[in-house]
Amino acid sequence: MKLIPLADKVVLKAAEVEETTKSGIILSSATQEKPAFATVVAVGPGGMVDGVDVKMVVEVGMKVLVAKYVGTEVKLDETEYTVVRQSDILAIVE
């Protein structure tokens, strides 16, 4: 299957998180925070959203910074994705 976002939606894949702290403590997956960095996997076409013309700025492959608790999490073919609005993306990471 494939996720194809509509309107101003963006599909993100979370960046890999280190499993040990700087001091060498290994963290279980339950104690790890949701990563704020992600890679753009798919981008919707933009267009009219809530009466406003939205131009898509992000592109597939970009690394972005997102707020920690936004979007809808989806698991597809054993891979976890998050679908967010473009306005939920805080910055592009270069």
Side-chain angles (χ1 to χ4, degrees), residues 28-49:
S28 70
S29 60
T31 60
Q32 294 177 6
E33 288 187 16
K34 180 178 174 185
F37 293 100
T39 303
V40 176
V41 176
V43 178
M48 292 298 283
V49 177

mmCIF file with all atom_site columns, all heavy atoms in Angstrom, residues 28-49:
data_model
loop_
_atom_site.group_PDB
_atom_site.id
_atom_site.type_symbol
_atom_site.label_atom_id
_atom_site.label_alt_id
_atom_site.label_comp_id
_atom_site.label_asym_id
_atom_site.label_entity_id
_atom_site.label_seq_id
_atom_site.pdbx_PDB_ins_code
_atom_site.Cartn_x
_atom_site.Cartn_y
_atom_site.Cartn_z
_atom_site.occupancy
_atom_site.B_iso_or_equiv
_atom_site.pdbx_formal_charge
_atom_site.auth_seq_id
_atom_site.auth_comp_id
_atom_site.auth_asym_id
_atom_site.auth_atom_id
_atom_site.pdbx_PDB_model_num
ATOM 1   N N   . SER A 1 28 ? 14.531 2.101  27.191 1.00 0.00 ? 28 SER A N   1
ATOM 2   C CA  . SER A 1 28 ? 13.546 1.237  26.538 1.00 0.00 ? 28 SER A CA  1
ATOM 3   C C   . SER A 1 28 ? 12.688 2.106  25.634 1.00 0.00 ? 28 SER A C   1
ATOM 4   O O   . SER A 1 28 ? 12.617 3.314  25.799 1.00 0.00 ? 28 SER A O   1
ATOM 5   C CB  . SER A 1 28 ? 12.679 0.534  27.575 1.00 0.00 ? 28 SER A CB  1
ATOM 6   O OG  . SER A 1 28 ? 11.830 1.457  28.199 1.00 0.00 ? 28 SER A OG  1
ATOM 7   N N   . SER A 1 29 ? 12.012 1.493  24.681 1.00 0.00 ? 29 SER A N   1
ATOM 8   C CA  . SER A 1 29 ? 11.197 2.270  23.749 1.00 0.00 ? 29 SER A CA  1
ATOM 9   C C   . SER A 1 29 ? 10.051 2.980  24.458 1.00 0.00 ? 29 SER A C   1
ATOM 10  O O   . SER A 1 29 ? 9.560  4.003  23.993 1.00 0.00 ? 29 SER A O   1
ATOM 11  C CB  . SER A 1 29 ? 10.660 1.369  22.642 1.00 0.00 ? 29 SER A CB  1
ATOM 12  O OG  . SER A 1 29 ? 9.867  0.346  23.194 1.00 0.00 ? 29 SER A OG  1
ATOM 13  N N   . ALA A 1 30 ? 9.612  2.473  25.595 1.00 0.00 ? 30 ALA A N   1
ATOM 14  C CA  . ALA A 1 30 ? 8.511  3.099  26.336 1.00 0.00 ? 30 ALA A CA  1
ATOM 15  C C   . ALA A 1 30 ? 8.931  4.426  26.958 1.00 0.00 ? 30 ALA A C   1
ATOM 16  O O   . ALA A 1 30 ? 8.102  5.308  27.161 1.00 0.00 ? 30 ALA A O   1
ATOM 17  C CB  . ALA A 1 30 ? 8.014  2.162  27.433 1.00 0.00 ? 30 ALA A CB  1
ATOM 18  N N   . THR A 1 31 ? 10.213 4.604  27.270 1.00 0.00 ? 31 THR A N   1
ATOM 19  C CA  . THR A 1 31 ? 10.656 5.835  27.913 1.00 0.00 ? 31 THR A CA  1
ATOM 20  C C   . THR A 1 31 ? 11.145 6.881  26.928 1.00 0.00 ? 31 THR A C   1
ATOM 21  O O   . THR A 1 31 ? 11.411 8.001  27.312 1.00 0.00 ? 31 THR A O   1
ATOM 22  C CB  . THR A 1 31 ? 11.813 5.548  28.900 1.00 0.00 ? 31 THR A CB  1
ATOM 23  O OG1 . THR A 1 31 ? 12.906 4.975  28.176 1.00 0.00 ? 31 THR A OG1 1
ATOM 24  C CG2 . THR A 1 31 ? 11.368 4.625  30.012 1.00 0.00 ? 31 THR A CG2 1
ATOM 25  N N   . GLN A 1 32 ? 11.251 6.525  25.666 1.00 0.00 ? 32 GLN A N   1
ATOM 26  C CA  . GLN A 1 32 ? 11.735 7.476  24.679 1.00 0.00 ? 32 GLN A CA  1
ATOM 27  C C   . GLN A 1 32 ? 10.620 8.422  24.264 1.00 0.00 ? 32 GLN A C   1
ATOM 28  O O   . GLN A 1 32 ? 9.477  8.031  24.111 1.00 0.00 ? 32 GLN A O   1
ATOM 29  C CB  . GLN A 1 32 ? 12.267 6.743  23.452 1.00 0.00 ? 32 GLN A CB  1
ATOM 30  C CG  . GLN A 1 32 ? 13.491 5.923  23.741 1.00 0.00 ? 32 GLN A CG  1
ATOM 31  C CD  . GLN A 1 32 ? 13.947 5.155  22.514 1.00 0.00 ? 32 GLN A CD  1
ATOM 32  O OE1 . GLN A 1 32 ? 13.413 5.325  21.431 1.00 0.00 ? 32 GLN A OE1 1
ATOM 33  N NE2 . GLN A 1 32 ? 14.932 4.318  22.704 1.00 0.00 ? 32 GLN A NE2 1
ATOM 34  N N   . GLU A 1 33 ? 10.991 9.696  24.068 1.00 0.00 ? 33 GLU A N   1
ATOM 35  C CA  . GLU A 1 33 ? 10.026 10.672 23.583 1.00 0.00 ? 33 GLU A CA  1
ATOM 36  C C   . GLU A 1 33 ? 9.878  10.537 22.074 1.00 0.00 ? 33 GLU A C   1
ATOM 37  O O   . GLU A 1 33 ? 10.772 10.055 21.388 1.00 0.00 ? 33 GLU A O   1
ATOM 38  C CB  . GLU A 1 33 ? 10.510 12.086 23.895 1.00 0.00 ? 33 GLU A CB  1
ATOM 39  C CG  . GLU A 1 33 ? 10.440 12.445 25.351 1.00 0.00 ? 33 GLU A CG  1
ATOM 40  C CD  . GLU A 1 33 ? 10.768 13.908 25.576 1.00 0.00 ? 33 GLU A CD  1
ATOM 41  O OE1 . GLU A 1 33 ? 10.759 14.691 24.604 1.00 0.00 ? 33 GLU A OE1 1
ATOM 42  O OE2 . GLU A 1 33 ? 11.031 14.253 26.721 1.00 0.00 ? 33 GLU A OE2 1
ATOM 43  N N   . LYS A 1 34 ? 8.742  10.992 21.582 1.00 0.00 ? 34 LYS A N   1
ATOM 44  C CA  . LYS A 1 34 ? 8.526  11.009 20.146 1.00 0.00 ? 34 LYS A CA  1
ATOM 45  C C   . LYS A 1 34 ? 9.551  11.968 19.531 1.00 0.00 ? 34 LYS A C   1
ATOM 46  O O   . LYS A 1 34 ? 9.707  13.079 20.000 1.00 0.00 ? 34 LYS A O   1
ATOM 47  C CB  . LYS A 1 34 ? 7.102  11.488 19.854 1.00 0.00 ? 34 LYS A CB  1
ATOM 48  C CG  . LYS A 1 34 ? 6.749  11.550 18.397 1.00 0.00 ? 34 LYS A CG  1
ATOM 49  C CD  . LYS A 1 34 ? 5.317  11.996 18.235 1.00 0.00 ? 34 LYS A CD  1
ATOM 50  C CE  . LYS A 1 34 ? 4.986  12.202 16.769 1.00 0.00 ? 34 LYS A CE  1
ATOM 51  N NZ  . LYS A 1 34 ? 3.641  12.736 16.594 1.00 0.00 ? 34 LYS A NZ  1
ATOM 52  N N   . PRO A 1 35 ? 10.269 11.554 18.487 1.00 0.00 ? 35 PRO A N   1
ATOM 53  C CA  . PRO A 1 35 ? 11.282 12.437 17.913 1.00 0.00 ? 35 PRO A CA  1
ATOM 54  C C   . PRO A 1 35 ? 10.660 13.655 17.254 1.00 0.00 ? 35 PRO A C   1
ATOM 55  O O   . PRO A 1 35 ? 9.567  13.584 16.695 1.00 0.00 ? 35 PRO A O   1
ATOM 56  C CB  . PRO A 1 35 ? 11.980 11.560 16.872 1.00 0.00 ? 35 PRO A CB  1
ATOM 57  C CG  . PRO A 1 35 ? 11.081 10.421 16.635 1.00 0.00 ? 35 PRO A CG  1
ATOM 58  C CD  . PRO A 1 35 ? 10.222 10.263 17.836 1.00 0.00 ? 35 PRO A CD  1
ATOM 59  N N   . ALA A 1 36 ? 11.342 14.786 17.342 1.00 0.00 ? 36 ALA A N   1
ATOM 60  C CA  . ALA A 1 36 ? 10.848 16.021 16.754 1.00 0.00 ? 36 ALA A CA  1
ATOM 61  C C   . ALA A 1 36 ? 11.314 16.170 15.313 1.00 0.00 ? 36 ALA A C   1
ATOM 62  O O   . ALA A 1 36 ? 10.791 16.983 14.581 1.00 0.00 ? 36 ALA A O   1
ATOM 63  C CB  . ALA A 1 36 ? 11.306 17.205 17.592 1.00 0.00 ? 36 ALA A CB  1
ATOM 64  N N   . PHE A 1 37 ? 12.322 15.378 14.903 1.00 0.00 ? 37 PHE A N   1
ATOM 65  C CA  . PHE A 1 37 ? 12.817 15.455 13.539 1.00 0.00 ? 37 PHE A CA  1
ATOM 66  C C   . PHE A 1 37 ? 12.218 14.329 12.711 1.00 0.00 ? 37 PHE A C   1
ATOM 67  O O   . PHE A 1 37 ? 12.047 13.214 13.193 1.00 0.00 ? 37 PHE A O   1
ATOM 68  C CB  . PHE A 1 37 ? 14.347 15.340 13.518 1.00 0.00 ? 37 PHE A CB  1
ATOM 69  C CG  . PHE A 1 37 ? 15.025 16.514 14.158 1.00 0.00 ? 37 PHE A CG  1
ATOM 70  C CD1 . PHE A 1 37 ? 15.492 16.434 15.455 1.00 0.00 ? 37 PHE A CD1 1
ATOM 71  C CD2 . PHE A 1 37 ? 15.175 17.701 13.467 1.00 0.00 ? 37 PHE A CD2 1
ATOM 72  C CE1 . PHE A 1 37 ? 16.104 17.519 16.058 1.00 0.00 ? 37 PHE A CE1 1
ATOM 73  C CE2 . PHE A 1 37 ? 15.793 18.795 14.055 1.00 0.00 ? 37 PHE A CE2 1
ATOM 74  C CZ  . PHE A 1 37 ? 16.262 18.706 15.348 1.00 0.00 ? 37 PHE A CZ  1
ATOM 75  N N   . ALA A 1 38 ? 11.896 14.641 11.450 1.00 0.00 ? 38 ALA A N   1
ATOM 76  C CA  . ALA A 1 38 ? 11.299 13.637 10.571 1.00 0.00 ? 38 ALA A CA  1
ATOM 77  C C   . ALA A 1 38 ? 11.718 13.906 9.131  1.00 0.00 ? 38 ALA A C   1
ATOM 78  O O   . ALA A 1 38 ? 12.200 14.992 8.804  1.00 0.00 ? 38 ALA A O   1
ATOM 79  C CB  . ALA A 1 38 ? 9.780  13.676 10.694 1.00 0.00 ? 38 ALA A CB  1
ATOM 80  N N   . THR A 1 39 ? 11.501 12.915 8.276  1.00 0.00 ? 39 THR A N   1
ATOM 81  C CA  . THR A 1 39 ? 11.772 13.035 6.852  1.00 0.00 ? 39 THR A CA  1
ATOM 82  C C   . THR A 1 39 ? 10.446 13.038 6.110  1.00 0.00 ? 39 THR A C   1
ATOM 83  O O   . THR A 1 39 ? 9.566  12.233 6.397  1.00 0.00 ? 39 THR A O   1
ATOM 84  C CB  . THR A 1 39 ? 12.634 11.853 6.364  1.00 0.00 ? 39 THR A CB  1
ATOM 85  O OG1 . THR A 1 39 ? 13.842 11.826 7.123  1.00 0.00 ? 39 THR A OG1 1
ATOM 86  C CG2 . THR A 1 39 ? 12.964 11.981 4.896  1.00 0.00 ? 39 THR A CG2 1
ATOM 87  N N   . VAL A 1 40 ? 10.303 13.931 5.147  1.00 0.00 ? 40 VAL A N   1
ATOM 88  C CA  . VAL A 1 40 ? 9.082  14.027 4.355  1.00 0.00 ? 40 VAL A CA  1
ATOM 89  C C   . VAL A 1 40 ? 9.054  12.877 3.363  1.00 0.00 ? 40 VAL A C   1
ATOM 90  O O   . VAL A 1 40 ? 9.986  12.681 2.590  1.00 0.00 ? 40 VAL A O   1
ATOM 91  C CB  . VAL A 1 40 ? 9.005  15.378 3.614  1.00 0.00 ? 40 VAL A CB  1
ATOM 92  C CG1 . VAL A 1 40 ? 7.776  15.434 2.723  1.00 0.00 ? 40 VAL A CG1 1
ATOM 93  C CG2 . VAL A 1 40 ? 9.012  16.534 4.602  1.00 0.00 ? 40 VAL A CG2 1
ATOM 94  N N   . VAL A 1 41 ? 7.968  12.093 3.406  1.00 0.00 ? 41 VAL A N   1
ATOM 95  C CA  . VAL A 1 41 ? 7.817  10.925 2.545  1.00 0.00 ? 41 VAL A CA  1
ATOM 96  C C   . VAL A 1 41 ? 6.891  11.228 1.368  1.00 0.00 ? 41 VAL A C   1
ATOM 97  O O   . VAL A 1 41 ? 7.107  10.758 0.258  1.00 0.00 ? 41 VAL A O   1
ATOM 98  C CB  . VAL A 1 41 ? 7.275  9.724  3.357  1.00 0.00 ? 41 VAL A CB  1
ATOM 99  C CG1 . VAL A 1 41 ? 7.009  8.535  2.474  1.00 0.00 ? 41 VAL A CG1 1
ATOM 100 C CG2 . VAL A 1 41 ? 8.240  9.365  4.463  1.00 0.00 ? 41 VAL A CG2 1
ATOM 101 N N   . ALA A 1 42 ? 5.855  12.031 1.606  1.00 0.00 ? 42 ALA A N   1
ATOM 102 C CA  . ALA A 1 42 ? 4.898  12.390 0.552  1.00 0.00 ? 42 ALA A CA  1
ATOM 103 C C   . ALA A 1 42 ? 4.279  13.744 0.881  1.00 0.00 ? 42 ALA A C   1
ATOM 104 O O   . ALA A 1 42 ? 4.147  14.107 2.051  1.00 0.00 ? 42 ALA A O   1
ATOM 105 C CB  . ALA A 1 42 ? 3.814  11.327 0.430  1.00 0.00 ? 42 ALA A CB  1
ATOM 106 N N   . VAL A 1 43 ? 3.896  14.488 -0.166 1.00 0.00 ? 43 VAL A N   1
ATOM 107 C CA  . VAL A 1 43 ? 3.333  15.828 0.006  1.00 0.00 ? 43 VAL A CA  1
ATOM 108 C C   . VAL A 1 43 ? 2.062  15.938 -0.814 1.00 0.00 ? 43 VAL A C   1
ATOM 109 O O   . VAL A 1 43 ? 2.025  15.527 -1.977 1.00 0.00 ? 43 VAL A O   1
ATOM 110 C CB  . VAL A 1 43 ? 4.345  16.909 -0.470 1.00 0.00 ? 43 VAL A CB  1
ATOM 111 C CG1 . VAL A 1 43 ? 3.761  18.288 -0.340 1.00 0.00 ? 43 VAL A CG1 1
ATOM 112 C CG2 . VAL A 1 43 ? 5.646  16.803 0.301  1.00 0.00 ? 43 VAL A CG2 1
ATOM 113 N N   . GLY A 1 44 ? 1.017  16.502 -0.205 1.00 0.00 ? 44 GLY A N   1
ATOM 114 C CA  . GLY A 1 44 ? -0.233 16.737 -0.920 1.00 0.00 ? 44 GLY A CA  1
ATOM 115 C C   . GLY A 1 44 ? -0.088 17.873 -1.922 1.00 0.00 ? 44 GLY A C   1
ATOM 116 O O   . GLY A 1 44 ? 0.912  18.596 -1.925 1.00 0.00 ? 44 GLY A O   1
ATOM 117 N N   . PRO A 1 45 ? -1.105 18.087 -2.768 1.00 0.00 ? 45 PRO A N   1
ATOM 118 C CA  . PRO A 1 45 ? -1.014 19.094 -3.821 1.00 0.00 ? 45 PRO A CA  1
ATOM 119 C C   . PRO A 1 45 ? -1.227 20.531 -3.361 1.00 0.00 ? 45 PRO A C   1
ATOM 120 O O   . PRO A 1 45 ? -0.971 21.467 -4.115 1.00 0.00 ? 45 PRO A O   1
ATOM 121 C CB  . PRO A 1 45 ? -2.126 18.672 -4.787 1.00 0.00 ? 45 PRO A CB  1
ATOM 122 C CG  . PRO A 1 45 ? -3.133 18.009 -3.905 1.00 0.00 ? 45 PRO A CG  1
ATOM 123 C CD  . PRO A 1 45 ? -2.322 17.301 -2.848 1.00 0.00 ? 45 PRO A CD  1
ATOM 124 N N   . GLY A 1 46 ? -1.691 20.736 -2.133 1.00 0.00 ? 46 GLY A N   1
ATOM 125 C CA  . GLY A 1 46 ? -2.003 22.104 -1.687 1.00 0.00 ? 46 GLY A CA  1
ATOM 126 C C   . GLY A 1 46 ? -3.366 22.507 -2.205 1.00 0.00 ? 46 GLY A C   1
ATOM 127 O O   . GLY A 1 46 ? -4.272 21.684 -2.297 1.00 0.00 ? 46 GLY A O   1
ATOM 128 N N   . GLY A 1 47 ? -3.520 23.781 -2.570 1.00 0.00 ? 47 GLY A N   1
ATOM 129 C CA  . GLY A 1 47 ? -4.792 24.261 -3.094 1.00 0.00 ? 47 GLY A CA  1
ATOM 130 C C   . GLY A 1 47 ? -5.604 24.974 -2.030 1.00 0.00 ? 47 GLY A C   1
ATOM 131 O O   . GLY A 1 47 ? -5.075 25.416 -1.019 1.00 0.00 ? 47 GLY A O   1
ATOM 132 N N   . MET A 1 48 ? -6.906 25.077 -2.253 1.00 0.00 ? 48 MET A N   1
ATOM 133 C CA  . MET A 1 48 ? -7.786 25.785 -1.329 1.00 0.00 ? 48 MET A CA  1
ATOM 134 C C   . MET A 1 48 ? -8.079 24.925 -0.101 1.00 0.00 ? 48 MET A C   1
ATOM 135 O O   . MET A 1 48 ? -8.597 23.830 -0.217 1.00 0.00 ? 48 MET A O   1
ATOM 136 C CB  . MET A 1 48 ? -9.106 26.148 -2.012 1.00 0.00 ? 48 MET A CB  1
ATOM 137 C CG  . MET A 1 48 ? -8.952 27.190 -3.104 1.00 0.00 ? 48 MET A CG  1
ATOM 138 S SD  . MET A 1 48 ? -8.338 28.773 -2.500 1.00 0.00 ? 48 MET A SD  1
ATOM 139 C CE  . MET A 1 48 ? -9.774 29.443 -1.750 1.00 0.00 ? 48 MET A CE  1
ATOM 140 N N   . VAL A 1 49 ? -7.695 25.431 1.070  1.00 0.00 ? 49 VAL A N   1
ATOM 141 C CA  . VAL A 1 49 ? -7.946 24.758 2.330  1.00 0.00 ? 49 VAL A CA  1
ATOM 142 C C   . VAL A 1 49 ? -8.569 25.774 3.270  1.00 0.00 ? 49 VAL A C   1
ATOM 143 O O   . VAL A 1 49 ? -7.958 26.795 3.585  1.00 0.00 ? 49 VAL A O   1
ATOM 144 C CB  . VAL A 1 49 ? -6.644 24.188 2.941  1.00 0.00 ? 49 VAL A CB  1
ATOM 145 C CG1 . VAL A 1 49 ? -6.918 23.549 4.278  1.00 0.00 ? 49 VAL A CG1 1
ATOM 146 C CG2 . VAL A 1 49 ? -5.992 23.210 1.988  1.00 0.00 ? 49 VAL A CG2 1
#
